[in-house]
Amino acid sequence: MSRTWPSRWQKLWRDLQAERGRFALMLMAVAVSLGAFGAVLGAYAVLTREIEANYLQTEPAHATLELPGDVDAAVLALARRHPGVAGAEARDVILARARVGNDWRPLLLFVVDEFSGLRLSRFTLEAGAALPPTGGVMLERTATGVLGAEAGGRLQLKTPNGALAEVPVSGLVHDPGLAPAWQERMGYAYLSRDTLKALGEDGRLHELRVRFQGVPETMAAVQAAATALGEDLQRQGVPVSEVRVPPPRQHPHQRQMTTILFVLLAFSLMALLLSGVLVANNLAALLARQVREIGVMKTLGARTGQLAAMYLLLVAAIGLVSLALAMPMAYAGSRGFAFSVAALLNFTLGSSLPPAWVWAAQVLEGCWRRPWWPLCRCGVRAA
């Protein structure tokens, strides 16, 4: 019986050499599918974490109230005195045009009442001066190619009621709440109320952006709070034409991103399942051809447990080697995928490292969901 152990392992080694093409196919099938699953799962975890972090650090407004009149200091004071209002600011968005060579391109002007006191819907400085001078603008970092202008350059633009003007570009900013300018084929510029007046407009701002405190961040609760604020302003003689409430704590493009990632994750799971079927069928075929050999080994004294352990080790080796090959592929794939999506959605990755549960899920898939069932259908149990 002492010679049974080395004989069994020698037989297993010879089986591996004889069927090396089949085993290589099984290893690659499992490794590639497991790597794809880990890449998509890791990208999903990183992107959902980072897009929320990028968006929330801008302190997005819970609601925007559109006023037909100007959001002046008196209106801001009324809004800030309303119960539950943590912050209120005057803003506006104006559709203008920019001249790039002989071409005219749409340009969104984001008018800020006070750059120095900006608390809501913030953006971060990327280059240039922190505050644009009167008569100057700042560009969103993705708009430089669309508008053909950089920090320190000049931009030709025309507002709805003004004449064509050439203004200096004092800096570049990053606004994670906006889609890339090249994707929308539209430029983004930031300017003050005084600059808006200098460009020929009346300087009135029509958006009142507010954040609440003590209000649950659900759509129904925020909608109710914003409606109550609007009714309060109207009772005090400030007409409100519209109340807009975006989904709380959610980037404008987060749902689209999550949907696409779920579809890719479903496809990767299907590939992983099919690779398991491939391995199971190959092992079943291999073991079915060895029924007589297993019977001879049992006649010579090998026990069922010993033979089962031999083939279980083979299955475990396939899983472990596939996992070792898949982990680097999964990390590289998730990192590249995450950076690509972040560039498409105009946000910055603070970290591309997937959380620990992603690695645990991949290890579980690699070591647990392996096709053990062929062992129960083959000649291991042959008498």
Side-chain angles (χ1 to χ4, degrees):
M1 197 64 180
S2 61
R3 293 193 297 271
T4 304
W5 281 91
S7 299
R8 286 189 289 117
W9 303 125
Q10 288 174 13
K11 177 188 181 306
L12 185 62
W13 176 249
R14 288 196 296 269
D15 289 342
L16 287 172
Q17 290 180 316
E19 301 285 347
R20 55 183 176 271
R22 186 186 297 271
F23 283 110
L25 175 63
M26 289 189 284
L27 285 174
M28 291 308 300
V30 176
V32 170
S33 60
L34 192 59
F37 169 75
V40 177
L41 187 63
Y44 172 81
V46 169
L47 289 170
T48 51
R49 178 190 68 204
E50 296 297 323
I51 195 172
E52 182 177 3
N54 270 250
Y55 183 59
L56 294 182
Q57 75 180 5
T58 68
E59 292 293 328
H62 282 138
T64 299
L65 283 70
E66 188 79 24
L67 276 61
D70 185 26
V71 183
D72 54 18
V75 174
L76 288 174
L78 289 175
R80 288 165 181 166
R81 286 200 298 266
H82 183 80
V85 172
E89 293 182 5
R91 303 284 284 273
D92 208 349
V93 181
I94 297 174
L95 179 59
R97 294 186 299 162
R99 186 173 180 177
V100 182
N102 295 322
D103 190 19
W104 287 93
R105 297 178 183 175
L107 172 66
L108 280 183
L109 298 177
F110 296 93
V111 188
V112 179
D113 192 18
E114 295 181 18
F115 274 89
S116 58
L118 192 63
R119 296 291 180 270
L120 305 181
S121 302
R122 297 180 302 188
F123 36 84
T124 56
L125 182 68
E126 293 271 316
L131 300 176
T134 300
V137 299
M138 305 175 80
L139 299 183
E140 212 284 327
R141 66 181 186 180
T142 61
T144 55
V146 175
L147 299 176
E150 295 281 351
R154 302 187 73 83
L155 175 69
Q156 291 184 320
L157 62 87
K158 184 182 184 305
T159 59
N161 299 308
L164 179 64
E166 187 173 75
V167 298
V169 178
S170 63
L172 301 180
V173 300
H174 174 218
D175 191 341
L178 295 175
W182 53 263
Q183 197 175 89
E184 301 290 327
R185 297 303 300 166
M186 178 182 293
Y188 307 130
Y190 300 79
L191 66 160
S192 65
R193 188 194 291 258
D194 292 336
T195 300
L196 184 64
K197 292 178 182 178
L199 292 174
E201 299 296 320
D202 57 17
R204 293 189 300 171
L205 306 185
H206 301 284
E207 288 188 357
L208 173 63
R209 300 190 182 185
V210 295
R211 273 189 73 86
F212 300 104
Q213 61 182 0
V215 175
E217 289 189 293
T218 63
M219 194 68 178
V222 174
Q223 183 73 54
T227 302
L229 173 61
E231 293 172 350
D232 186 28
L233 290 176
Q234 295 197 87
R235 282 193 297 269
Q236 299 183 67
V238 180
V240 176
S241 57
E242 184 182 3
V243 177
R244 299 192 299 270
V245 178
R249 302 181 63 85
Q250 191 173 105
H251 188 278
H253 303 291
Q254 190 163 341
R255 286 185 178 179
Q256 296 92 317
M257 182 196 75
T258 304
T259 301
I260 294 172
L261 288 173
F262 267 126
V263 172
L264 293 176
L265 189 59
F267 276 111
S268 67
L269 283 171
M270 289 175 61
L272 190 59
L273 177 63
L274 291 175
S275 71
V277 172
L278 173 66
V279 173
N281 288 335
N282 275 278
L283 284 176
L286 175 66
L287 295 176
R289 293 198 303 270
Q290 296 190 5
V291 170
R292 292 186 179 181
E293 298 176 18
I294 295 172
V296 170
M297 294 175 69
K298 295 187 72 173
T299 301
L300 295 176
R303 295 190 297 273
T304 300
Q306 291 176 322
L307 296 176
M310 181 175 70
Y311 289 106
L312 284 173
L313 179 64
L314 174 62
V315 174
I318 293 174
L320 290 174
V321 174
S322 300
L323 183 62
L325 294 173
M327 294 287 269
M329 289 191 295
Y331 175 67
S334 68
R335 191 173 185 272
F337 192 17
F339 274 106
S340 298
V341 174
L344 284 174
L345 296 182
N346 193 26
F347 66 91
T348 304
L349 294 182
S351 171
S352 62
L353 186 66
W357 65 265
V358 172
W359 304 110
Q362 195 169 4
V363 170
L364 185 64
E365 286 290 332
C367 296
W368 176 253
R369 294 192 61 180
R370 296 276 63 83
W372 310 107
W373 60 270
L375 300 179
C376 300
R377 302 177 57 232
C378 67
V380 170
R381 296 182 61 87

